[in-house]
Structures are given as C-alpha cells and as structure tokens.
Amino acid sequence: MNRSTREGYEPIAIVGAACRLPGNVASLDDYWSLLRNGRDAVTEISPERFATEHWWHPRPGTPGRSYTWAAGVVSDVDQFDPEFFGISPREATQMDPQHRLLLELAWEALELSGQKPSSISGSNCGVYVGISATDYMQLSFDKS
C-alpha cells in the first residue's frame, strides 16, 4: 500500500476545481481577486426573492421578521443548459438552482482537470461539494 510519510494517510491530488460564489465569482482566479482586493461580496436580497416589505421589522429579534436583507447572493443561476445534461427544460425549472449549479460545476471541475469522464469511471475519484440554504425548497412550498 502506498503511504505518505504520516502513517495511515495516502497522498491526494486536487486536479480540478470550480466555484460560483457571491460577488460574481465564477472561478478560482475571481475568488483570489476578491480576497486580494478585500472586496465585500455581500449585497441585499431583492424584493423579487422575498416579500421584504412584508417581513421587515425595525427591531432585531422580533420573531418571524427581519431588519436586514444582507446576503451573499450567487448571480447567473438562471444560465443553466438543461439539454447538455439530458434534462428537459420543464424539469430544469423545477430543480433547485443549487442542484443545477452542482451539475455545472462538477462538469467544469472535470474539464479543468483535463480528465475525460469515461477515464474516471470506476476509479478512485471523488467530488467534494459545499452547498447551503434551502431557500428554493421553501419558495416551492409557498407556491403550492
């Protein structure tokens, strides 16, 4: 078994990475630029996303209300190409945007790695993902 200098650990290689982050960050270079320049990627949630007037209250801590709409918002989540992934446009509109981004970014990371998808089938390869929030699910419940 191939072991690194620390017993019980095997070396790993990150061969492809992709991201979409608040502040129009669409690549690792964009992310580094955001950090290097000290830019703030926090914006305000638009009233189209939530009924901000309805939920607003000037006093923090008021149950069921908010006094701020600051958020890290990822842009261009509507630019998904469903046919590329064998998904119908109708089905794509029902998908959580995070799921659409996951498909796009996994594919992008694979492309950036220089690997052909067929070459890693059955190999010891992993995809690690970070996703948060369930806003879209909540919105879909509100429409029912």
Side-chain angles (χ1 to χ4, degrees):
M1 186 181 281
N2 184 9
R3 300 271 185 203
S4 73
T5 56
R6 293 177 60 188
E7 187 60 35
Y9 292 89
E10 290 191 37
I12 64 166
I14 299 172
V15 294
C19 63
R20 295 294 181 278
L21 302 167
N24 294 318
V25 171
S27 69
L28 295 177
D29 288 337
D30 290 348
Y31 183 50
W32 179 243
S33 176
L34 179 114
L35 295 174
R36 187 179 58 244
N37 296 320
R39 279 193 311 124
D40 185 354
V42 174
T43 59
E44 284 207 3
I45 296 175
S46 72
E48 292 82 38
R49 185 169 177 187
F50 292 117
T52 52
E53 286 185 26
H54 173 76
W55 297 109
W56 183 83
H57 196 283
R59 198 170 49 245
T62 303
R65 302 294 177 178
S66 183
Y67 69 99
T68 181
W69 302 108
V73 178
V74 176
S75 58
D76 297 330
V77 296
D78 59 339
Q79 301 301 307
F80 182 67
D81 180 5
E83 282 97 19
F84 180 81
F85 294 99
I87 298 169
S88 74
R90 184 175 178 187
E91 181 182 6
T93 62
Q94 300 298 311
M95 290 174 67
D96 187 319
Q98 292 182 104
H99 295 161
R100 297 189 303 247
L101 282 171
L102 172 60
L103 289 170
E104 290 175 337
L105 293 172
W107 189 265
E108 184 177 320
L110 199 58
E111 283 182 327
L112 292 171
S113 75
Q115 302 293 311
K116 291 182 181 178
S118 60
S119 72
I120 62 170
S121 179
S123 71
N124 195 11
C125 177
V127 176
Y128 297 88
V129 178
I131 293 180
S132 66
T134 59
D135 298 352
Y136 193 79
M137 181 179 65
Q138 295 298 327
L139 288 172
S140 67
F141 288 152
D142 291 343
K143 293 177 183 177
S144 317

